[in-house]
Amino acid sequence: MNLTKPHPIHPQNTQLTAESKTNLSASTPWVDVAIVGAGAAGLMAAYFAAREGATTLALDGASRLGAKILISGGGRCNVTHERVRAEDFNGSNRNLVSKVLRSFGVHDAIAFFRDLGVELKREETGKLFPVTDRAATVLDALVGAVGRAGAEIRTASRVVSVAPIGEGFAVETVTGSLRARRIVLSTGGLSIPKSGSDGAGYAMAQALGQSVTPTLPALVPLLLESGHWLTALSGVSCDATLELRDARGRVRQRVQGSMLLTHFGLSGPAVLDMSRHWIAASSGGEAAIVANFVPGEDFESVEAWIVAEAKAGPRRTLLNLVRSRLSDRLADGLLREGASVAPDTALGRLARDDRRRVVHALTALPLPIAGNRGYAFAEVTAGGVPLDEVDVTTMESKRCRGLFLCGEILDVDGRIGGFNFQWAWASGRVAGSAAGKI
Ligand SMILES: Cc1cc2nc3c(=O)[nH]c(=O)nc-3n(C[C@H](O)[C@H](O)[C@H](O)COP(=O)(O)OP(=O)(O)OC[C@H]3O[C@@H](n4cnc5c(N)ncnc54)[C@H](O)[C@@H]3O)c2cc1C
């Protein structure tokens, strides 16, 4: 790659920063496109920028690339989902999200990875994984493709600052300076900071004129009040419908899926999906999560079921009945602790008030959430640069010409199931292709 070739002045960039403010000199190398952050979105952008013929340099602060791709999907990398819609995302305006997703859809992602030699398989849930069940297959294929397209990737090259200069941008890294005609900012969010994404990109975006909406952990396990009886059921997994209710009891969000009880509280897909809603709601006022352990049923139907079963078999115990729907440990806990009713109570001897408490515990158990496990355990970050600050047909900033943004640094977070990677692939593809057209 020719890093010394100067490029013509980029007319849209104003002469904002004097070169004397940076460490630039006449011999400071040039690239057409500098990608800041070579995670999922940055690698995608690097590939497509290089394919356009632009000299492309992807800089990453980590010494080993792709930490998040490697740990994703339990080491198997849930690459995408068979059906991805704007409704699967939160944060910025969904019309804008939809425009980006349409420009590189699920079928494009499947074909893209197939071309790189990565076949995907669909699982029952609709999630798509590499047939190898190895996340490294995805990372290796991407890194190989970026190299073959002619882009250079530099690891251990943390970017410290990006400043506009007349012809483009001055980029300071821990190992030296360079100039770039265009910048793709793809530094991710704040989740799992030890993977390399520690939020530094937000400050860079702000220095370049972007705003950043408040950030919070998303897809993160939730903590129950210390010593809550559910924590004693650590290891139990169940299906549940979770409702987020506001101070007036109105349902603000509803999620159905699998929930895992742990020593600290709650995890599993339904809880992870609910987490960002609870965190956002509880920071602005009172919010409660209520669990229904018999999804699809309500108070009336469960009460009718118990009454009917009591008539059919009055000597049958309550535990025997409830464990026909739930696991033994959960049934026992819900009766004993959730409803304060002895599990060995015969159905025929169940008092009306006791029955109603049982039904309440099964269909609307309040979960006293005490907090969340924070960015160290969050799969994504909610919040970031609002999408309406970029032109979604190119991902170029409307506030700083020559700056492109993609991936998790933007105010877009998907639910669990491959949606966040689809966002990274799609937005990275759009940003890279546009930035590479010099
Ligand atoms: C445990 C876990 C499991 C997940 N599983 C899935 C899954 O199966 N499916 C799914 O769709 N999503 C999953 N996600 C979410 C997904 O990994 C992210 O949404 C996605 O990686 C975001 O891509 P990105 O490129 O925007 O950011 P990142 O992947 O975070 O990449 C950002 C890169 O920028 C680099 N960087 C940051 N600051 C600088 C700087 N100043 N200078 C240079 N480089 C910098 C970082 O080192 C990093 O390499 C998971 C996340 C986690 C944490």
Side-chain angles (χ1 to χ4, degrees), residues 51-146:
R51 286 275 303 259
E52 294 292 338
T55 55
T56 304
L57 175 61
L59 300 158
D60 202 287
S63 46
R64 287 194 58 214
L65 277 184
K68 267 194 204 159
I69 294 178
L70 290 176
I71 58 172
S72 68
R76 298 196 301 137
C77 186
N78 177 193
V79 174
T80 186
H81 194 275
E82 64 172 346
R83 184 158 180 243
V84 178
R85 304 153 308 156
E87 299 89 286
D88 298 311
F89 296 85
N90 296 291
S92 296
N93 178 304
R94 285 182 175 157
N95 285 335
L96 298 176
V97 173
S98 174
K99 281 189 180 143
V100 179
L101 294 172
R102 277 205 304 268
S103 66
F104 189 81
V106 174
H107 293 290
D108 299 311
I110 294 170
F112 171 77
F113 281 105
R114 180 172 297 145
D115 284 350
L116 301 192
V118 182
E119 280 301 328
L120 301 180
K121 62 172 176 182
R122 178 194 171 282
E123 299 206 333
E124 243 177 44
T125 52
K127 296 177 182 178
L128 271 68
F129 290 86
V131 290
T132 57
D133 278 330
R134 289 182 62 241
T137 313
V138 176
L139 178 62
D140 293 349
L142 269 174
V143 172
V146 170

XYZ file of all heavy atoms in Angstrom, residues 51-146:
721
model
N -12.304 -2.693 -1.643
C -12.882 -3.184 -2.911
C -13.172 -2.038 -3.874
O -13.235 -2.235 -5.084
C -14.180 -3.953 -2.626
C -13.968 -5.322 -2.008
C -13.703 -6.368 -3.077
N -14.796 -6.415 -4.038
C -15.752 -7.320 -4.055
N -15.754 -8.271 -3.168
N -16.702 -7.279 -4.967
N -13.370 -0.856 -3.349
C -13.605 0.321 -4.202
C -12.298 0.878 -4.749
O -12.296 1.846 -5.496
C -14.327 1.425 -3.409
C -15.731 1.077 -2.991
C -16.703 0.972 -4.166
O -16.434 1.543 -5.245
O -17.723 0.279 -3.999
N -11.184 0.281 -4.325
C -9.882 0.733 -4.832
C -9.208 1.760 -3.945
O -8.142 2.286 -4.294
N -9.785 2.042 -2.777
C -9.189 3.033 -1.880
C -8.060 2.392 -1.070
O -8.169 1.232 -0.665
C -10.264 3.553 -0.921
N -6.971 3.149 -0.866
C -5.955 2.649 0.067
C -6.588 2.704 1.455
O -7.058 3.756 1.899
C -4.665 3.501 0.045
O -5.002 4.850 0.286
C -3.940 3.371 -1.274
N -6.644 1.559 2.086
C -7.434 1.430 3.315
C -6.578 0.867 4.433
O -5.897 -0.150 4.249
C -8.640 0.491 3.064
O -9.391 1.009 1.959
C -9.539 0.388 4.276
N -6.635 1.526 5.562
C -5.876 1.068 6.727
C -6.840 0.950 7.895
O -7.495 1.926 8.275
C -4.780 2.094 7.059
C -3.949 1.844 8.323
C -3.176 0.522 8.233
C -2.983 2.994 8.557
N -6.943 -0.261 8.445
C -7.807 -0.467 9.612
C -6.927 -0.514 10.858
O -5.994 -1.308 10.932
C -8.600 -1.755 9.454
N -7.225 0.345 11.797
C -6.424 0.453 13.024
C -7.225 -0.106 14.192
O -8.397 0.244 14.368
C -6.115 1.925 13.304
C -5.329 2.649 12.209
C -5.546 4.152 12.306
C -3.854 2.302 12.316
N -6.605 -0.956 14.966
C -7.312 -1.465 16.151
C -6.380 -1.416 17.352
O -5.192 -1.743 17.250
C -7.832 -2.882 15.938
C -8.984 -3.193 16.889
O -8.712 -3.386 18.106
O -10.151 -3.198 16.443
N -6.940 -1.016 18.482
C -6.133 -0.889 19.691
C -5.757 -2.237 20.289
O -4.742 -2.356 20.977
N -6.556 -3.251 20.033
C -6.293 -4.558 20.644
C -5.104 -5.235 19.968
O -4.831 -5.003 18.789
C -7.529 -5.443 20.523
N -4.406 -6.067 20.717
C -3.276 -6.766 20.087
C -3.764 -7.992 19.313
O -3.104 -8.439 18.385
C -2.218 -7.149 21.120
O -2.843 -7.720 22.230
N -4.942 -8.495 19.700
C -5.542 -9.595 18.914
C -6.900 -9.145 18.427
O -7.713 -8.634 19.189
C -5.666 -10.866 19.767
C -4.316 -11.530 19.994
C -4.476 -12.935 20.537
N -5.262 -13.795 19.669
C -6.082 -14.752 20.121
N -6.233 -14.941 21.404
N -6.761 -15.501 19.279
N -7.147 -9.374 17.154
C -8.387 -8.876 16.531
C -9.617 -9.689 16.915
O -9.506 -10.880 17.227
C -8.273 -8.993 15.005
C -7.550 -7.902 14.233
C -7.660 -8.212 12.753
C -8.149 -6.526 14.530
N -10.766 -9.038 16.847
C -12.046 -9.754 16.841
C -12.451 -10.432 18.128
O -13.160 -11.450 18.092
N -12.059 -9.847 19.282
C -12.390 -10.498 20.555
C -13.885 -10.788 20.662
O -14.293 -11.870 21.082
C -11.939 -9.616 21.713
N -14.692 -9.814 20.236
C -16.136 -10.002 20.415
C -16.705 -11.024 19.460
O -17.636 -11.749 19.800
C -16.860 -8.671 20.251
C -17.014 -8.019 21.575
C -17.967 -6.907 21.551
C -17.584 -6.025 22.710
N -18.089 -4.688 22.554
N -16.159 -11.067 18.264
C -16.649 -12.090 17.324
C -16.332 -13.470 17.919
O -17.162 -14.377 17.908
C -15.998 -11.920 15.935
C -16.451 -10.595 15.305
C -16.337 -13.103 15.024
C -15.834 -10.288 13.954
N -15.136 -13.590 18.504
C -14.716 -14.900 19.014
C -15.544 -15.366 20.209
O -15.803 -16.558 20.348
C -13.229 -14.871 19.380
C -12.277 -14.769 18.188
C -10.829 -14.641 18.658
C -12.413 -15.973 17.253
N -15.972 -14.408 21.062
C -16.755 -14.843 22.240
C -18.254 -14.863 21.947
O -19.039 -15.323 22.757
C -16.498 -13.960 23.487
C -16.829 -12.490 23.203
C -15.089 -14.111 23.980
C -16.776 -11.607 24.448
N -18.637 -14.379 20.766
C -20.075 -14.234 20.496
C -20.766 -15.589 20.359
O -20.136 -16.587 19.994
C -20.286 -13.438 19.204
O -19.842 -14.178 18.100
N -22.041 -15.565 20.663
C -22.857 -16.778 20.516
C -22.243 -17.970 21.236
O -22.269 -19.087 20.725
N -21.670 -17.735 22.416
C -21.042 -18.820 23.165
C -19.886 -19.451 22.393
O -19.651 -20.656 22.494
N -19.160 -18.619 21.629
C -18.013 -19.122 20.854
C -18.406 -19.669 19.494
O -17.553 -20.166 18.743
N -19.719 -19.569 19.172
C -20.172 -20.101 17.872
C -20.531 -18.990 16.900
O -20.711 -19.220 15.724
C -21.400 -21.013 18.059
C -21.117 -22.233 18.924
C -22.197 -23.280 18.770
N -23.511 -22.766 19.126
C -24.621 -23.002 18.439
N -24.585 -23.740 17.334
N -25.775 -22.511 18.837
N -20.679 -17.773 17.360
C -21.013 -16.592 16.571
C -22.364 -16.710 15.855
O -22.477 -17.304 14.784
C -19.927 -16.262 15.532
S -20.259 -14.703 14.685
N -23.342 -16.114 16.476
C -24.683 -16.041 15.879
C -24.637 -14.887 14.862
O -24.895 -13.749 15.171
C -25.685 -15.777 17.016
C -27.099 -15.607 16.564
O -27.931 -15.163 17.335
N -27.407 -15.950 15.328
N -24.308 -15.251 13.623
C -23.964 -14.273 12.578
C -25.128 -13.358 12.213
O -24.962 -12.165 11.979
C -23.469 -15.025 11.317
C -23.236 -14.079 10.157
C -22.195 -15.789 11.649
N -26.312 -13.921 12.162
C -27.491 -13.122 11.832
C -28.732 -13.937 12.201
O -28.636 -14.973 12.860
C -27.490 -12.701 10.337
O -28.582 -11.815 10.087
C -27.566 -13.881 9.394
N -29.879 -13.448 11.763
C -31.151 -14.125 12.064
C -31.913 -14.263 10.758
O -31.756 -13.424 9.867
C -31.959 -13.283 13.062
C -33.093 -14.010 13.693
N -34.324 -14.105 13.080
C -33.184 -14.667 14.867
C -35.134 -14.813 13.874
N -34.468 -15.163 14.964
N -32.712 -15.303 10.643
C -33.399 -15.518 9.357
C -34.322 -14.350 8.992
O -34.594 -14.098 7.826
C -34.204 -16.820 9.374
C -35.339 -16.809 10.373
C -36.243 -18.023 10.256
O -36.159 -18.742 9.254
O -37.026 -18.245 11.201
N -34.794 -13.626 10.012
C -35.698 -12.517 9.750
C -35.274 -11.325 10.598
O -35.296 -11.411 11.831
C -37.126 -12.942 10.112
C -38.146 -11.915 9.784
C -39.524 -12.555 9.648
N -40.487 -11.541 9.324
C -41.508 -11.213 10.098
N -41.724 -11.833 11.228
N -42.347 -10.265 9.717
N -34.862 -10.283 9.945
C -34.396 -9.096 10.674
C -35.256 -7.911 10.272
O -35.353 -7.580 9.090
C -32.905 -8.810 10.345
C -32.442 -7.542 11.056
C -32.032 -9.985 10.748
N -35.921 -7.319 11.234
C -36.780 -6.166 10.953
C -36.360 -5.004 11.846
O -35.736 -5.217 12.891
C -38.249 -6.505 11.262
C -38.804 -7.722 10.538
C -39.928 -8.342 11.337
N -39.485 -8.593 12.705
C -40.261 -8.694 13.761
N -41.555 -8.587 13.635
N -39.770 -8.907 14.974
N -36.761 -3.821 11.463
C -36.402 -2.644 12.268
C -36.951 -2.779 13.687
O -36.360 -2.272 14.645
C -36.928 -1.381 11.598
N -38.083 -3.485 13.847
C -38.689 -3.644 15.180
C -37.799 -4.448 16.127
O -38.043 -4.487 17.328
C -40.050 -4.367 15.100
C -41.095 -3.654 14.279
C -41.032 -4.057 12.811
O -40.097 -3.617 12.114
O -41.915 -4.787 12.352
N -36.804 -5.115 15.574
C -35.895 -5.884 16.432
C -34.835 -4.996 17.069
O -33.950 -5.491 17.766
C -35.218 -6.986 15.608
C -36.221 -7.975 15.046
O -37.062 -8.449 15.819
O -36.187 -8.253 13.834
N -34.903 -3.698 16.785
C -33.875 -2.772 17.274
C -34.495 -1.660 18.110
O -35.650 -1.299 17.926
C -33.114 -2.161 16.093
C -32.348 -3.192 15.297
C -32.979 -3.915 14.289
C -31.023 -3.458 15.589
C -32.291 -4.886 13.578
C -30.328 -4.427 14.877
C -30.957 -5.141 13.879
N -33.676 -1.115 18.989
C -34.067 0.039 19.794
C -33.063 1.156 19.565
O -31.995 0.939 19.025
C -34.058 -0.345 21.277
C -35.086 -1.395 21.585
O -36.280 -1.143 21.543
N -34.627 -2.604 21.856
N -33.423 2.331 20.046
C -32.519 3.473 19.921
C -33.047 4.433 18.894
O -34.156 4.952 19.033
N -32.286 4.604 17.816
C -32.631 5.605 16.809
C -33.918 5.256 16.061
O -34.413 4.126 16.123
C -31.491 5.730 15.808
O -30.338 6.208 16.441
N -34.382 6.237 15.315
C -35.580 6.110 14.488
C -35.560 4.830 13.628
O -34.609 4.573 12.894
C -35.596 7.361 13.585
C -36.746 7.361 12.633
O -36.916 6.429 11.859
N -37.523 8.420 12.670
N -36.638 4.049 13.750
C -36.639 2.742 13.085
C -36.724 2.834 11.563
O -36.308 1.914 10.858
C -37.755 1.865 13.637
C -37.393 1.340 15.000
C -38.452 0.426 15.557
N -38.014 -0.151 16.818
C -38.836 -0.616 17.752
N -40.132 -0.556 17.568
N -38.359 -1.141 18.855
N -37.272 3.932 11.055
C -37.280 4.092 9.583
C -35.859 4.169 9.059
O -35.538 3.619 7.996
C -38.015 5.379 9.176
C -39.496 5.209 9.326
O -40.009 4.092 9.268
N -40.185 6.314 9.544
N -35.022 4.861 9.815
C -33.622 4.991 9.397
C -32.902 3.650 9.541
O -32.132 3.249 8.664
C -32.919 6.082 10.215
C -33.493 7.491 10.055
C -32.785 8.474 10.985
C -33.369 7.956 8.608
N -33.170 2.966 10.646
C -32.568 1.643 10.853
C -32.941 0.740 9.683
O -32.110 0.039 9.088
C -33.047 1.021 12.187
C -32.577 -0.416 12.331
C -32.576 1.856 13.371
N -34.218 0.802 9.322
C -34.736 -0.047 8.253
C -34.034 0.230 6.917
O -33.724 -0.701 6.162
C -36.239 0.206 8.164
O -36.777 -0.448 7.095
N -33.762 1.496 6.649
C -33.089 1.833 5.379
C -31.708 1.189 5.307
O -31.312 0.672 4.266
C -32.959 3.359 5.244
C -34.253 3.985 4.808
C -34.101 5.449 4.453
C -35.467 5.971 4.034
N -35.744 7.321 4.461
N -31.000 1.214 6.404
C -29.661 0.615 6.418
C -29.779 -0.903 6.261
O -29.054 -1.525 5.472
C -28.909 0.974 7.728
C -27.535 0.323 7.748
C -28.800 2.487 7.869
N -30.724 -1.494 6.992
C -30.881 -2.958 6.936
C -31.281 -3.422 5.541
O -30.864 -4.494 5.089
C -31.941 -3.412 7.947
C -31.591 -3.217 9.426
C -32.809 -3.513 10.296
C -30.419 -4.105 9.827
N -32.089 -2.610 4.860
C -32.530 -3.002 3.514
C -31.381 -2.993 2.510
O -31.394 -3.735 1.542
C -33.647 -2.066 3.036
C -35.011 -2.465 3.568
C -36.133 -1.964 2.675
N -36.082 -0.540 2.484
C -36.728 0.359 3.243
N -37.461 -0.051 4.251
N -36.642 1.645 2.990
N -30.393 -2.146 2.773
C -29.300 -2.052 1.800
C -28.361 -3.250 1.885
O -27.579 -3.507 0.976
C -28.521 -0.753 1.994
O -27.883 -0.795 3.243
N -28.407 -3.991 2.968
C -27.609 -5.221 3.101
C -28.391 -6.133 4.035
O -28.220 -6.108 5.240
C -26.210 -4.901 3.647
C -25.256 -6.065 3.618
C -24.579 -6.405 2.448
C -25.028 -6.829 4.759
C -23.685 -7.480 2.422
C -24.141 -7.899 4.740
C -23.468 -8.214 3.570
N -29.274 -6.913 3.440
C -30.196 -7.730 4.220
C -29.597 -9.077 4.603
O -28.429 -9.373 4.331
N -30.451 -9.892 5.202
C -30.011 -11.211 5.664
C -29.480 -12.040 4.493
O -28.435 -12.704 4.595
C -31.183 -11.937 6.355
C -30.800 -13.359 6.723
C -31.633 -11.159 7.577
N -30.184 -11.973 3.348
C -29.737 -12.797 2.214
C -28.403 -12.305 1.682
O -27.580 -13.112 1.226
C -30.819 -12.839 1.129
C -32.022 -13.584 1.616
N -32.000 -14.961 1.811
C -33.243 -13.168 2.023
C -33.163 -15.339 2.308
N -33.940 -14.272 2.430
N -28.185 -11.003 1.766
C -26.872 -10.474 1.374
C -25.790 -10.983 2.323
O -24.682 -11.322 1.898
C -26.890 -8.941 1.392
C -27.908 -8.378 0.411
O -27.903 -8.815 -0.750
O -28.723 -7.524 0.819
N -26.127 -11.013 3.606
C -25.136 -11.486 4.587
C -24.825 -12.965 4.342
O -23.654 -13.380 4.365
C -25.660 -11.271 6.007
N -25.874 -13.752 4.084
C -25.652 -15.188 3.844
C -24.764 -15.368 2.604
O -23.787 -16.130 2.621
C -27.008 -15.921 3.665
C -27.786 -15.888 4.987
C -26.799 -17.348 3.171
C -29.237 -16.361 4.887
N -25.094 -14.629 1.527
C -24.317 -14.754 0.282
C -22.891 -14.248 0.487
O -21.934 -14.856 -0.012
C -25.010 -13.965 -0.831
N -22.756 -13.151 1.226
C -21.429 -12.580 1.485
C -20.549 -13.615 2.182
O -19.416 -13.887 1.757
C -21.573 -11.317 2.346
C -20.284 -10.756 2.855
C -19.454 -10.016 2.015
C -19.880 -10.963 4.170
C -18.246 -9.494 2.483
C -18.681 -10.453 4.639
C -17.861 -9.717 3.796
N -21.076 -14.204 3.250
C -20.248 -15.162 3.991
C -20.024 -16.443 3.178
O -18.950 -17.044 3.250
C -20.852 -15.439 5.374
C -20.540 -14.327 6.344
C -21.503 -13.406 6.706
C -19.260 -14.177 6.846
C -21.195 -12.359 7.575
C -18.942 -13.126 7.710
C -19.912 -12.222 8.077
N -21.002 -16.823 2.365
C -20.802 -17.998 1.510
C -19.637 -17.745 0.552
O -18.788 -18.608 0.351
C -22.088 -18.310 0.734
C -21.930 -19.525 -0.183
C -23.245 -19.935 -0.792
N -24.189 -20.355 0.235
C -25.493 -20.146 0.199
N -26.034 -19.514 -0.824
N -26.275 -20.564 1.158
N -19.601 -16.542 -0.018
C -18.495 -16.197 -0.923
C -17.149 -16.258 -0.210
O -16.127 -16.515 -0.827
C -18.675 -14.779 -1.495
C -19.733 -14.740 -2.577
O -20.181 -15.830 -3.001
O -20.126 -13.628 -2.989
N -17.176 -15.989 1.080
C -15.918 -16.066 1.841
C -15.651 -17.495 2.321
O -14.703 -17.730 3.063
C -15.965 -15.138 3.068
C -16.202 -13.649 2.863
C -15.917 -12.884 4.155
C -15.335 -13.083 1.756
N -16.522 -18.413 1.961
C -16.319 -19.813 2.344
C -16.959 -20.173 3.681
O -16.651 -21.229 4.246
N -17.827 -19.300 4.186
C -18.489 -19.593 5.469
C -19.961 -19.921 5.210
O -20.770 -19.034 4.934
C -18.399 -18.385 6.440
C -19.051 -18.721 7.779
C -16.952 -17.963 6.644
N -20.297 -21.205 5.285
C -21.704 -21.610 5.151
C -22.399 -21.396 6.484
O -21.835 -21.707 7.543
C -21.796 -23.093 4.805
C -21.574 -23.456 3.358
C -22.554 -22.793 2.383
O -23.729 -22.545 2.756
O -22.125 -22.535 1.251
N -23.618 -20.886 6.409
C -24.373 -20.697 7.646
C -25.483 -21.728 7.736
O -26.016 -22.166 6.714
C -24.963 -19.284 7.690
C -23.964 -18.119 7.615
C -24.693 -16.776 7.673
C -22.938 -18.197 8.734
N -25.830 -22.092 8.946
C -26.970 -23.002 9.163
C -27.976 -22.314 10.056
O -27.610 -21.511 10.918
C -26.488 -24.308 9.798
C -25.858 -24.077 11.143
C -25.541 -25.358 11.871
C -24.814 -25.022 13.170
N -24.407 -26.123 13.962
N -29.231 -22.658 9.825
C -30.308 -22.058 10.605
C -30.685 -22.979 11.748
O -30.852 -24.178 11.551
C -31.520 -21.850 9.690
C -32.726 -21.274 10.359
C -33.945 -21.438 9.465
N -35.153 -21.081 10.171
C -35.777 -21.854 11.055
N -35.308 -23.057 11.331
N -36.867 -21.451 11.671
N -30.826 -22.403 12.938
C -31.290 -23.217 14.061
C -32.776 -22.981 14.282
O -33.356 -22.052 13.724
C -30.474 -22.898 15.312
C -29.006 -23.218 15.068
C -28.217 -23.544 16.311
O -28.589 -23.062 17.383
O -27.222 -24.272 16.181
N -33.377 -23.812 15.099
C -34.831 -23.770 15.334
C -35.349 -22.370 15.664
O -36.429 -21.976 15.258
C -35.150 -24.660 16.531
C -36.030 -25.834 16.193
C -36.227 -26.687 17.416
O -36.476 -26.140 18.502
O -36.136 -27.921 17.257
N -34.543 -21.634 16.412
C -34.930 -20.293 16.844
C -34.880 -19.266 15.717
O -35.251 -18.113 15.913
C -33.957 -19.813 17.932
O -32.633 -19.994 17.405
C -34.098 -20.587 19.212
N -34.352 -19.665 14.549
C -34.190 -18.708 13.453
C -32.802 -18.088 13.416
O -32.456 -17.343 12.502
N -31.982 -18.398 14.437
C -30.618 -17.846 14.478
C -29.737 -18.572 13.463
O -29.870 -19.790 13.279
C -30.003 -18.036 15.871
C -30.706 -17.305 16.982
C -30.022 -17.638 18.299
C -30.693 -16.978 19.480
N -30.073 -17.337 20.748
N -28.818 -17.835 12.846
C -27.900 -18.442 11.879
C -26.484 -18.478 12.448
O -25.984 -17.454 12.945
C -27.917 -17.659 10.554
C -28.965 -18.127 9.546
C -30.371 -17.847 10.016
C -28.756 -17.444 8.205
N -25.893 -19.646 12.357
C -24.528 -19.868 12.861
C -23.684 -20.465 11.740
O -24.221 -21.098 10.822
C -24.539 -20.885 14.019
C -25.164 -20.376 15.286
C -26.538 -20.476 15.480
C -24.394 -19.807 16.287
C -27.126 -20.012 16.648
C -24.975 -19.343 17.452
C -26.342 -19.449 17.647
N -22.364 -20.343 11.823
C -21.539 -21.055 10.843
C -21.696 -22.563 11.027
O -21.850 -23.017 12.172
C -20.107 -20.603 11.177
C -20.165 -20.047 12.550
C -21.564 -19.581 12.801
N -21.669 -23.318 9.929
C -21.864 -24.770 10.068
C -20.760 -25.398 10.917
O -20.951 -26.465 11.505
C -21.936 -25.495 8.691
C -23.207 -25.150 7.948
C -20.703 -25.209 7.846
N -19.626 -24.731 11.005
C -18.520 -25.264 11.816
C -18.791 -25.125 13.307
O -18.079 -25.721 14.122
C -17.227 -24.476 11.530
O -17.486 -23.079 11.813
C -16.770 -24.639 10.099
N -19.780 -24.294 13.670
C -20.043 -23.968 15.082
C -18.844 -23.305 15.733
O -18.661 -23.385 16.959
C -20.444 -25.219 15.891
C -21.919 -25.541 15.716
O -22.703 -24.594 15.508
O -22.273 -26.729 15.778
N -18.019 -22.655 14.933
C -16.828 -21.988 15.473
C -16.823 -20.528 15.034
O -16.799 -20.231 13.833
C -15.552 -22.669 14.978
C -15.301 -24.052 15.578
C -13.986 -24.628 15.077
N -12.830 -23.821 15.471
C -12.009 -23.233 14.616
N -12.218 -23.322 13.313
N -10.976 -22.523 15.053
N -16.782 -19.627 16.014
C -16.743 -18.201 15.683
C -15.469 -17.842 14.920
O -15.456 -16.923 14.095
C -16.829 -17.379 16.973
N -14.397 -18.582 15.182
C -13.124 -18.296 14.508
C -13.263 -18.434 12.992
O -12.554 -17.756 12.238
C -12.039 -19.229 15.029
N -14.173 -19.278 12.532
C -14.396 -19.427 11.089
C -14.809 -18.088 10.486
O -14.365 -17.711 9.406
C -15.541 -20.438 10.827
O -15.333 -21.580 11.626
C -15.634 -20.830 9.370
N -15.670 -17.381 11.207
C -16.185 -16.091 10.729
C -15.067 -15.047 10.760
O -14.821 -14.338 9.776
C -17.376 -15.631 11.601
C -17.862 -14.255 11.200
C -18.513 -16.650 11.521
N -14.366 -14.973 11.880
C -13.300 -13.969 12.012
C -12.195 -14.218 10.981
O -11.763 -13.294 10.277
C -12.719 -14.003 13.437
C -11.569 -13.032 13.672
C -12.023 -11.578 13.489
C -10.969 -13.219 15.068
N -11.751 -15.453 10.870
C -10.654 -15.761 9.936
C -11.058 -15.401 8.514
O -10.267 -14.857 7.745
C -10.269 -17.245 10.012
C -9.641 -17.596 11.349
O -9.316 -16.662 12.107
O -9.509 -18.798 11.657
N -12.310 -15.727 8.153
C -12.766 -15.447 6.785
C -12.784 -13.938 6.524
O -12.353 -13.476 5.460
C -14.158 -16.033 6.567
N -13.251 -13.187 7.510
C -13.318 -11.730 7.333
C -11.924 -11.121 7.216
O -11.662 -10.315 6.318
C -14.018 -11.097 8.542
C -15.518 -10.911 8.465
C -16.029 -10.405 9.814
C -15.886 -9.904 7.374
N -11.052 -11.512 8.123
C -9.696 -10.955 8.119
C -8.984 -11.325 6.812
O -8.329 -10.487 6.186
C -8.906 -11.448 9.360
C -7.439 -11.053 9.270
C -9.529 -10.873 10.626
N -9.173 -12.565 6.385
C -8.559 -12.998 5.114
C -9.084 -12.178 3.947
O -8.318 -11.725 3.078
N -10.385 -11.949 3.925
C -10.997 -11.196 2.828
C -10.514 -9.755 2.802
O -10.249 -9.184 1.743
C -12.518 -11.231 2.957
N -10.377 -9.171 3.994
C -9.903 -7.779 4.077
C -8.496 -7.698 3.478
O -8.196 -6.802 2.677
C -9.919 -7.293 5.556
C -9.199 -5.961 5.706
C -11.351 -7.180 6.054
